[in-house]
């Protein structure tokens, strides 16, 4: 019997008064508290919800290419290779890039794309918009390795551009397009930095 009375008290239901079990405040007592300028006590649900962390909706992507943030821990080595490759390729320029770095860029592009496809094929990560970074990195590696007018780059670019309709990623796709335009024009992308 004591458990039933406790449950009624916790859930806010009025039941028959048990010995030693306090009754919850009535609705009129709450209304009187409001009139006197006091806050109404939180319901049990509100009390439980108040202890949960508040998760903010993630913001839109807005990272200027060629930067690729770390999405998954296991890809740190690939990310480091990518950043080193792009830094060197930007200094040299895609037109003057020697054959060995071009081959490295093609290999990086294929690895990024393969990893993106693996992640997008897995049930747990198939809708993760972080996969975009893998497609963008593949496209940028191919941009320097194959050139902006190549068929290889066009294939990688289509993968990245398929995210244009995703609300959080569409702005990042525009930044990617601007970066490609700068590289294709032969302008040094970090001239102002």
């Amino acid at each position: 019997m004591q458990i039933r009375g406790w449950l009624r008290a916790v859930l806010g239901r009025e039941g028959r008064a048990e010995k030693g079990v306090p009754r919850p405040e009535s609705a009129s007592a709450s209304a009187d508290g409001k009139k006197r300028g006091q806050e109404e006590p939180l319901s049990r649900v509100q009390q439980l919800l108040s202890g949960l962390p508040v998760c903010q909706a993630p913001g839109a992507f807005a990272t200027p290419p060629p930067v690729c943030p770390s999405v998954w821990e296991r890809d740190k080595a690939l990310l480091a290779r990518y950043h080193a490759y792009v830094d060197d390729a930007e200094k040299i320029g895609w037109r003057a890039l020697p054959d060995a770095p071009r081959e490295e860029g093609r290999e990086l592009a294929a690895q990024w794309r393969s990893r993106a496809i693996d992640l997008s094929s897995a049930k747990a990560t198939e809708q993760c918009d972080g996969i975009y970074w893998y497609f963008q990195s593949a496209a940028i590696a191919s941009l320097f390795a194959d050139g902006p007018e190549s068929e290889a780059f066009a294939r990688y670019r289509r993968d990245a551009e398929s995210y244009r309709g995703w609300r959080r990623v569409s702005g990042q796709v525009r930044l990617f397009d601007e970066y490609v335009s700068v590289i294709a024009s032969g302008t040094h992308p970090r001239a102002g930095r």
Side-chain angles (χ1 to χ4, degrees):
M1 286 294 209
Q2 289 180 354
I3 292 175
R4 189 178 323 160
W6 178 82
L7 282 173
R8 287 181 182 148
V10 168
L11 296 174
R13 294 184 186 154
E14 290 188 30
R16 55 174 212 250
E18 306 258 346
K19 289 185 179 178
V21 177
R23 292 184 107 189
E25 288 186 23
S26 67
S28 63
S30 294
D32 290 341
K34 276 187 174 180
K35 289 177 190 173
R36 288 184 261 149
Q38 297 173 352
E39 288 186 30
E40 184 175 334
L42 295 176
S43 72
R44 183 67 178 151
V45 172
Q46 290 170 325
Q47 290 173 1
L48 292 172
L49 290 176
S50 69
L52 295 176
V54 177
C55 296
Q56 299 295 325
F61 289 6
T63 304
V67 174
C68 174
S70 178
V71 180
W72 279 276
E73 190 67 32
R74 72 176 259 195
D75 297 321
K76 289 245 187 228
L78 182 61
L79 183 62
R81 283 182 48 219
Y82 164 78
H83 281 272
Y85 168 75
V86 171
D87 284 345
D88 290 344
E90 281 183 340
K91 290 174 191 164
I92 298 169
W94 70 272
R95 288 183 177 99
L97 203 62
D99 288 339
R102 284 187 190 279
E103 197 53 45
E104 181 185 357
R106 289 182 186 112
E107 184 181 309
L108 275 170
Q111 287 175 341
W112 276 118
R113 186 170 192 273
S114 174
R115 183 73 176 116
I117 290 171
D118 290 346
L119 289 168
S120 62
S121 300
K123 203 65 161 161
T125 55
E126 67 185 348
Q127 293 297 315
C128 177
D129 49 13
I131 295 170
Y132 169 79
W133 294 114
Y134 290 75
F135 284 126
Q136 177 182 290
S137 297
I140 290 173
S142 177
L143 172 66
F144 288 107
D146 302 311
E149 300 299 322
S150 70
E151 180 57 38
F153 171 67
R155 279 192 315 270
Y156 289 112
R157 186 176 193 170
R158 280 191 297 270
D159 290 334
E161 293 206 352
S162 68
Y163 282 78
R164 190 175 299 281
W166 289 43
R167 184 179 50 86
R168 286 189 59 222
V169 185
S170 61
Q172 186 65 38
V173 177
R174 282 191 299 278
L175 290 172
F176 168 70
D177 290 340
E178 291 170 13
Y179 181 78
V180 170
S181 297
V182 168
I183 297 300
S185 71
T187 308
H188 193 274
R190 300 183 195 195
R193 295 179 196 178

